[in-house]
Amino acid sequence: MQLNRFDNIQEFWHCTQAYLLQHQVENNVLLSILHTLLHNPERYLGKPYLAIVQTSSEILAVAIRTPPQKLILSKAQNMDALRLIAQDLRQEQLPGSMGLANEVEIFSQTWQRLTEQFYQRSVVMKIYQLTAVQRVSTARGYLRLATESDRSLLIEWLSAFLSETDQVVSFDLFSHHIARAIETPNDVRTLYLGVIVYNPSDRPATVNILQAASYVSQPDAPFVKLRIIVGWVERSETQPTRENVGFRSSTQPTHLRGFWR
């Protein structure tokens, strides 16, 4: 098993084409980038990293990187090939890697061990492959914009789609409330927040609160004496009132996730 780098994109394509097309779905990103390198190389600024790990008779893995983008790994026939790629790139500054989950995990673990740099998984996606086309009967009608009367039907369609694709709907909730202590700074009150989540379908739904954050404005945004202003006309420069001059916006919003089943 050995790793070979290429400088010529035509030669690289000639060597890897058959291997990549064997698993066209899994290697779709590599095939797309190779197509651009072949026909529009001016779109990339730096010299691409083109590497193959192979034995005397077969290719085991392919790796491509177009700086400053992430490294892209192909489907691997032998996981040791990924460790060889990590060894070859240990002196490079990589912003990340992309590929099938198992391949990327093995590469990243090796990369962390060799460079002592921390890594974490950031995005997880699915790949869908069309294997058969089911013939559907055509319906009479025409394309039109949806109206309010179509609401229930559209909700049913969306719920069925999310259930079939096992998709998760995520949304954020932010609540801002300011209250000054009545007597002393320690005179705090509990704020109760009620949230109503509506499920428009007849399918059971579960809402998970993944995280939440709450901040107290004191002493970061203290109450200070301000002049009372009505509209744009100042009433008095001496009549004081107490207002809050600011608040801390949470950088950790609450995430609620709904699962359709």
Side-chain angles (χ1 to χ4, degrees):
M1 181 188 304
Q2 63 180 8
L3 184 144
N4 295 319
R5 287 198 188 191
F6 290 76
D7 294 324
N8 187 293
I9 183 60
Q10 296 287 348
E11 182 182 356
F12 183 76
W13 172 245
H14 176 75
C15 293
T16 60
Q17 179 180 7
Y19 174 78
L20 294 175
L21 290 176
Q22 286 179 0
H23 304 282
Q24 185 174 354
V25 176
E26 293 86 343
N27 297 325
N28 67 88
V29 177
L30 283 87
L31 290 168
S32 176
I33 293 177
L34 281 175
H35 182 273
T36 305
L37 285 171
L38 285 167
H39 300 284
N40 303 101
E42 71 281 357
R43 294 184 182 179
Y44 296 105
L45 301 177
K47 180 181 177 181
Y49 174 83
L50 309 171
I52 297 176
V53 179
Q54 59 187 149
T55 64
S56 58
S57 59
E58 63 176 344
I59 293 178
L60 302 178
V62 176
I64 295 177
R65 182 175 180 240
T66 53
Q69 306 302 325
K70 298 178 181 180
L71 176 72
I72 302 178
L73 301 169
S74 73
K75 179 179 176 61
Q77 301 299 322
N78 187 317
M79 295 305 168
D80 287 336
L82 303 169
R83 299 182 177 93
L84 204 58
I85 296 172
Q87 179 90 17
D88 187 54
L89 290 171
R90 66 187 184 280
Q91 301 297 333
E92 302 291 335
Q93 295 294 325
L94 292 182
S97 60
M98 296 175 55
L100 300 180
N102 193 33
E103 277 81 344
V104 171
E105 186 68 20
I106 290 177
F107 172 85
S108 300
Q109 290 176 355
T110 307
W111 172 264
Q112 179 174 271
R113 178 172 51 81
L114 292 173
T115 64
E116 297 183 351
Q117 296 184 34
F118 174 76
Y119 80 92
Q120 65 180 2
R121 180 180 295 183
S122 57
V123 178
V124 180
M125 302 178 66
K126 292 184 178 180
I127 298 176
Y128 297 92
Q129 180 178 9
L130 179 64
T131 57
V133 178
Q134 298 180 357
R135 183 178 179 85
V136 295
S137 58
T138 58
R140 298 178 59 186
Y142 58 91
L143 186 65
R144 65 174 176 82
L145 294 176
T147 63
E148 183 63 29
S149 62
D150 301 313
R151 176 181 173 83
S152 59
L153 179 61
L154 294 176
I155 291 175
E156 181 182 350
W157 286 355
L158 178 60
S159 298
F161 174 79
L162 294 174
S163 177
E164 183 176 341
T165 57
D166 195 28
Q167 292 297 306
V168 173
V169 178
S170 300
F171 57 91
D172 298 337
L173 174 67
F174 174 76
S175 175
H176 176 212
H177 178 77
I178 296 178
R180 183 168 58 90
I182 298 176
E183 300 296 339
T184 65
N186 294 326
D187 182 19
V188 295
R189 289 163 287 172
T190 301
L191 172 65
Y192 295 93
L193 180 65
V195 179
I196 298 177
V197 180
Y198 171 61
N199 178 11
S201 72
D202 57 357
R203 299 172 181 270
T206 301
V207 176
N208 290 338
I209 301 178
L210 303 183
Q211 62 178 5
S214 178
Y215 295 101
V216 180
S217 62
Q218 307 297 322
D220 299 321
F223 288 85
V224 298
K225 293 183 179 181
L226 298 177
R227 294 172 295 183
I228 293 180
I229 297 178
V230 179
W232 297 103
V233 180
E234 184 175 318
R235 283 179 48 191
S236 170
E237 293 186 359
T238 58
Q239 186 176 2
T241 183
R242 299 184 70 83
E243 298 289 345
N244 187 268
V245 298
F247 60 90
R248 174 182 291 181
S249 296
S250 172
T251 57
Q252 302 170 346
T254 302
H255 293 279
L256 300 99
R257 179 168 295 182
F259 295 88
W260 273 261
R261 289 288 184 264

